[in-house]
Amino acid sequence: INWQTVKDSGIEFVIIRAGYGKNTVDKYFKRNIEGAIAQGLHIGVYWFIYGISEIDIFRNAKKFHETIAPYKDKIDMKVWCDFEYDTDKKANKQGKVFTKEERTTLVRQFCSYMKKYGYDVGVYANPDYLKNKFDDLSEYPLWLALYSSNKRNYNPFMWQYTSKGKVSGIIGKVDMNICYGDVEQNTTNPYPVPTRTLYRTYPSMKGEDVRWLQFELGITVDGSFGGQTLKAVKEFQKQHGLVVDGRVGPTTRKALLED
């Protein structure tokens, strides 16, 4: 890839494959990310998941982290979990047929590990996986693979709209994407820690302290305690052994601050 030509053609960001499975680094990863960095492009990276157990997923995440750690401060377009058809096919060859719940659990485990490593993480998926193979994963930013314009049922951070794009400086067909989300990564919560109990009301509770909550949960920050926020709070409470009531009082707030 001629990265200067790519930049000069008007491309603003790239999402680079770092590798796949428990130990395989893409042989072009180092060349690609350093070329993109040199041209000042915004950068995201993804890892293709292979595994059937939590220890497999941990090893995927560990290798991903080890691979991208030298470039951590240059990654401002998130890191992405890619679990799709080939993941299922390889599991089937090992005698494992996933349920929706099992797939969803593995994705959440991978995302949790990457968050613990200090990365802002999202999920790559197409409508088939979102509807038929995953349970609700709306707590994570979505990189949507949909090769048509009918995306009204989704709210993606990023939309992959074709696999047949052409970009000057790259030989062959290229996946093309549009980003709708906030590009710059911010790991410090800029909003005030709430002193009131936060919960869903009608009309929805709003304010800067709700923005603090949404930022801590890693969901869309709009300052309104709606359905997405309620789901994310309950999921957080469930994962941390708290009372699952959707209310962010002193106990849940403390857990968020310590997480």
Side-chain angles (χ1 to χ4, degrees):
I1 296 176
N2 185 322
W3 286 103
Q4 182 174 347
T5 302
V6 169
K7 176 69 178 292
D8 292 345
S9 73
I11 295 297
E12 296 176 291
F13 69 89
V14 293
I15 312 297
I16 300 171
R17 186 176 77 163
Y20 54 90
K22 292 179 281 188
N23 53 28
T24 305
V25 178
D26 188 305
K27 63 181 180 180
Y28 295 113
F29 171 69
K30 188 174 187 295
R31 181 192 303 179
N32 284 336
I33 196 167
E34 291 181 358
I37 289 170
Q39 296 304 318
L41 292 165
H42 293 291
I43 295 168
V45 289
Y46 76 93
W47 194 266
F48 198 103
I49 304 304
Y50 288 119
I52 62 174
S53 67
E54 183 173 1
I55 189 62
D56 290 340
I57 295 304
F58 168 73
R59 289 171 177 164
N60 274 253
K62 184 173 184 290
K63 188 63 178 180
F64 189 19
H65 166 59
E66 290 172 352
T67 303
I68 66 177
Y71 311 102
K72 187 175 182 180
D73 63 340
K74 302 297 184 182
I75 298 169
D76 59 0
M77 290 283 292
K78 306 186 188 300
V79 303
W80 298 91
C81 171
D82 188 358
F83 183 118
E84 51 181 292
Y85 298 108
D86 207 48
T87 314
D88 275 310
K89 288 179 182 178
K90 190 164 184 177
N92 293 346
K93 290 178 180 178
Q94 295 176 267
K96 177 63 179 177
V97 178
F98 291 120
T99 64
K100 289 177 68 173
E101 182 180 8
E102 287 170 335
R103 287 190 196 91
T104 307
T105 296
L106 293 178
V107 168
R108 285 188 173 133
Q109 287 170 345
F110 182 87
C111 291
S112 177
Y113 285 128
M114 294 312 297
K115 280 189 172 185
K116 288 178 180 177
Y117 285 129
Y119 298 96
D120 194 5
V121 61
V123 174
Y124 175 89
N126 63 26
D128 180 31
Y129 267 75
L130 292 171
K131 293 176 183 177
N132 304 315
K133 300 182 187 300
F134 290 144
D135 289 325
D136 182 26
L137 286 168
S138 60
E139 66 263 37
Y140 303 109
L142 172 63
W143 177 9
L144 176 67
L146 175 62
Y147 301 157
S148 75
S149 60
N150 185 17
K151 61 182 188 306
R152 63 179 180 270
N153 294 324
Y154 306 95
N155 181 31
F157 176 91
M158 188 162 55
W159 173 33
Q160 185 179 100
Y161 62 89
T162 184
S163 60
K164 299 179 180 179
K166 292 287 187 179
V167 175
S168 297
I170 302 178
I171 298 171
K173 297 176 181 179
V174 183
D175 295 339
M176 302 294 291
N177 301 273
I178 296 171
C179 180
Y180 300 99
D182 183 8
V183 173
E184 297 296 337
Q185 185 175 354
N186 183 359
T187 57
T188 303
N189 196 328
Y191 304 106
V193 178
T195 56
R196 61 174 174 160
T197 296
L198 305 177
Y199 57 97
R200 188 176 186 185
T201 59
Y202 298 93
S204 296
M205 180 175 280
K206 298 180 180 181
E208 290 293 279
D209 44 9
V210 176
R211 293 179 184 273
W212 173 88
L213 170 64
Q214 292 167 331
F215 188 98
E216 290 296 315
L217 292 170
I219 61 175
T220 300
V221 177
D222 62 10
S224 179
F225 200 126
Q228 182 195 30
T229 305
L230 179 64
K231 286 182 181 179
V233 170
K234 287 184 174 181
E235 180 60 32
F236 178 86
Q237 291 172 327
K238 180 180 177 181
Q239 291 177 352
H240 290 75
L242 305 174
V243 174
V244 181
D245 59 6
R247 297 172 69 91
V248 182
T251 302
T252 299
R253 182 166 64 242
K254 181 182 178 183
L256 283 161
L257 286 166
E258 293 175 348
D259 187 49

